[in-house]
């Protein structure tokens, strides 16, 4: 079948197998070019990535495998392909990654399904026990709109809303490039608690506790989850909004987990990452405008990074540099250091003020936003023939 991109309200409904392979190949090529130094020696050899099929999780998996020759297990939620139905990009990415990893004689397996469930934790633990014995690093990189509580069966939904008062700010329509006003009503009390249930640290803790109870965490185990802070302009909808409450909970969980992992000389971290175009971030109101401006400014200053570059810095300059992992006063790893630099933020702020409702975005990198978004779904690569008849079940 001929696979076209279909986007509805910033959500891409399709993915292209050949393009996803291309995306993964590009990440391999970038990482291969970085090899040859001694980084890899300190890297973990057995890595579990929860949410490792797209975005930051896929990048973490690839850095661990390519730079450190790690055996990796991924857990992610995917729609598998059928004769006339495309799979999720995470499915194609995973197939492409694992094929190449095995060519390199690296162990690479995935379990597809709901990471929040008890069954999945059980299945992953069995696989780790059977094939790896233990793990040295657990990456927790889930971004999900909902979670079914494994104890009660209750469904919780996460929302991206301000708390206490309506938030009004400029945004950009990614398709048309026109600046528009976003008005977001405040969350109900229960929506705050539900967002914390989905995107907070409860499930991360369940994973670590469960793996520990089965004796599957190696001495010196590290675990990391990802957070975001961002600029003041997005505080009401992000850091001080419902998702910010969940991230506070996640950050607190890191401290709890570090306490629990003491007997293994282990530690838990939250890394605060840069704002990037992923399937999860593209649907956050106001974020597309911020990202379009940020990309332009950071590209002009030679500071721009994508997921793979961010995760490369996480492993080489933070987690596995030496025994002391550099953290901020709250104990968080900061990979948003370049994004949050004063000169970067001042320029983004200046350009934000140039935007006018109803007019086209000025001095921003909307093309870069669109290209990143297309490419993480396997579209927008010059080298891919999008008119070709492809079998969606094959990569
Ligand atoms: P993403 O949408 O690219 O990846 C999410 C991953 O979670 C995918 O592998 C997906 O399959 C998996 N997943 C979702 N629900 C699942 C479930 N029920 N069971 C199993 N797997 C499931 O998202 P992204 O952006 O890479 O987000 C990962 C983390 O990074 C999130 O905590 C996010 O808040 C954080 N982060 C993202 C930033 C960004 O700008 N994209 C910035 C800073 C932090």
């Amino acid at each position: 079948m001929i696979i076209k991109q279909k986007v509805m309200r910033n959500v891409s409904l399709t993915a292209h197998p050949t393009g996803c392979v291309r995306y993964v190949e590009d990440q391999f090529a970038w990482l291969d070019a970085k090899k040859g130094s001694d980084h890899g020696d300190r890297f973990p050899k057995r890595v579990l990535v929860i949410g490792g099929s797209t975005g930051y999780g896929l990048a973490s998996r690839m850095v661990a495998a390519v730079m450190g020759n790690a055996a990796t297990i991924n857990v992610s939620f995917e729609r598998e392909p059928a004769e006339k139905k495309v799979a999720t990009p995470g499915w194609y990415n995973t197939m492409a990654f694992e094929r190449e990893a095995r060519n390199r004689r690296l162990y690479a397996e995935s379990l597809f399904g709901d990471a929040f469930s008890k069954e999945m934790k059980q299945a992953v633990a069995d696989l780790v026990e059977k094939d790896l014995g233990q793990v040295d690093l657990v990456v927790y990189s889930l971004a999900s709109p909902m979670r079914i509580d494994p104890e009660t069966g209750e469904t919780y939904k996460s929302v991206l809303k301000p708390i206490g008062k309506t938030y009004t700010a400029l945004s950009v329509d990614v398709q048309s490039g026109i600046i528009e006003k976003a008005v977001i009503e405040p969350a109900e009390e229960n929506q705050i608690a539900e967002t914390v249930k989905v995107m907070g640290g409860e499930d991360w803790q369940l994973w670590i506790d469960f793996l520990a109870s089965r004796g599957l965490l190696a001495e010196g185990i590290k675990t990391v989850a990802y957070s975001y802070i961002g600029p003041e302009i997005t505080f009401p909808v992000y850091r001080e909004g419902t998702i910010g409450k969940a991230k506070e909970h996640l950050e607190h969980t890191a401290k709890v987990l570090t306490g629990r992992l003491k007997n293994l000389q282990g530690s838990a971290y939250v890394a605060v990452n840069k704002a990037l175009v992923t399937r999860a971030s593209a649907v956050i109101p106001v974020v597309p405008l911020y990202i379009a401006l940020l990309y332009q400014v950071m590209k002009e200053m030679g500071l721009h990074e994508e997921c793979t570059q961010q995760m490369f810095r996480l492993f080489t300059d933070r987690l596995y540099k030496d025994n002391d992992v550099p953290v901020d006063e709250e104990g968080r790893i900061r990979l948003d250091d370049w994004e949050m630099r004063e000169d970067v933020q001042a320029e983004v702020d200046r350009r934000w003020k140039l935007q006018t409702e109803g007019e086209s975005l000025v001095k921003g990198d909307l093309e870069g936003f669109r290209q990143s978004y297309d490419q993480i779904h396997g579209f927008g690569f010059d080298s891919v023939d999008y008119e070709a008849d492809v079998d969606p079940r094959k990569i």
Side-chain angles (χ1 to χ4, degrees), residues 297 301 339-353:
V297 170
M301 292 184 177
E339 169 182 355
M340 298 314 289
R341 251 172 54 170
E342 238 170 75
D343 53 346
V344 172
Q345 285 303 318
E347 188 52 25
V348 170
D349 205 42
R350 192 184 70 79
R351 293 183 191 202
W352 195 288
K353 296 194 177 95

Side-chain angles (χ1 to χ4, degrees), residues 56 60 224-229 270-276 298 303 305-319 326-328 332-341:
Y56 278 118
S60 312
V224 62
Y226 301 135
S227 187
Y228 184 66
I229 296 175
V270 158
V272 180
N273 299 345
K274 177 194 181 194
L276 278 179
M298 290 187 85
L303 295 172
E305 296 171 293
E306 300 278 348
C307 291
T308 303
Q309 290 73 35
Q310 278 265 294
M311 295 299 97
F312 177 75
R313 270 207 302 140
L314 173 65
F315 277 61
T316 53
D317 283 355
R318 304 290 199 274
L319 277 181
V327 291
D328 68 7
R332 301 172 296 208
I333 294 171
R334 300 300 295 264
L335 291 165
D336 63 342
D337 47 351
W338 298 353
E339 169 182 355
M340 298 314 289
R341 251 172 54 170

Side-chain angles (χ1 to χ4, degrees), residues 148-363:
I148 300 171
D149 188 305
E151 295 300 333
T152 61
E154 205 171 321
T155 301
Y156 299 106
K157 288 189 179 152
S158 69
V159 296
L160 289 151
K161 289 190 173 179
I163 295 174
K165 53 177 191 258
T166 304
Y167 172 60
T168 309
L170 292 181
S171 189
V172 64
D173 180 290
V174 179
Q175 301 307 317
S176 66
I178 301 294
I179 299 294
E180 56 191 19
K181 197 183 274 172
V183 180
I184 314 166
E185 296 302 325
E188 311 282 329
E189 202 53 44
N190 69 314
Q191 291 181 310
I192 304 171
E194 288 204 24
T195 304
V196 173
K197 271 274 184 191
V198 181
M199 290 296 288
E202 190 175 277
D203 181 62
W204 183 23
Q205 185 165 340
L206 288 174
W207 269 101
I208 297 301
D209 284 351
F210 185 67
L211 295 169
S213 76
R214 296 266 309 252
L216 300 174
L217 303 179
E219 184 87 13
I221 175 81
K222 285 191 168 106
T223 182
V224 62
Y226 301 135
S227 187
Y228 184 66
I229 296 175
E232 263 177 50
I233 186 102
T234 62
F235 274 8
V237 69
Y238 200 96
R239 195 64 203 189
E240 291 167 358
T242 50
I243 184 74
K245 290 285 167 226
K247 293 299 185 192
E248 270 172 25
H249 188 269
L250 190 77
E251 290 166 18
H252 173 71
T253 305
K255 295 185 179 135
V256 174
L257 290 178
T258 291
R260 292 185 181 215
L261 295 172
K262 279 231 157 67
N263 58 336
L264 293 168
Q265 276 75 52
S267 28
Y269 296 96
V270 158
V272 180
N273 299 345
K274 177 194 181 194
L276 278 179
V277 180
T278 63
R279 280 158 66 76
S281 67
V283 293
I284 307 177
V286 187
V287 162
L289 174 58
Y290 173 67
I291 289 185
L293 297 176
L294 181 74
Y295 272 30
Q296 183 71 33
V297 170
M298 290 187 85
K299 282 178 183 175
E300 286 172 15
M301 292 184 177
L303 295 172
H304 181 66
E305 296 171 293
E306 300 278 348
C307 291
T308 303
Q309 290 73 35
Q310 278 265 294
M311 295 299 97
F312 177 75
R313 270 207 302 140
L314 173 65
F315 277 61
T316 53
D317 283 355
R318 304 290 199 274
L319 277 181
Y320 297 103
K321 189 169 184 179
D322 46 42
N323 291 336
D324 285 325
V325 175
V327 291
D328 68 7
E329 63 287 353
E330 303 287 334
R332 301 172 296 208
I333 294 171
R334 300 300 295 264
L335 291 165
D336 63 342
D337 47 351
W338 298 353
E339 169 182 355
M340 298 314 289
R341 251 172 54 170
E342 238 170 75
D343 53 346
V344 172
Q345 285 303 318
E347 188 52 25
V348 170
D349 205 42
R350 192 184 70 79
R351 293 183 191 202
W352 195 288
K353 296 194 177 95
L354 302 176
Q355 313 305 324
T356 313
E357 193 185 347
E359 292 181 12
S360 294
L361 172 83
V362 287
K363 293 195 181 290

Side-chain angles (χ1 to χ4, degrees), residues 51 53-56 76-77 113-115 141-143 227 247 274-276 278:
S53 65
T54 55
Y56 278 118
S76 62
F77 198 77
D114 182 12
S141 187
L142 291 187
S227 187
K247 293 299 185 192
K274 177 194 181 194
L276 278 179
T278 63

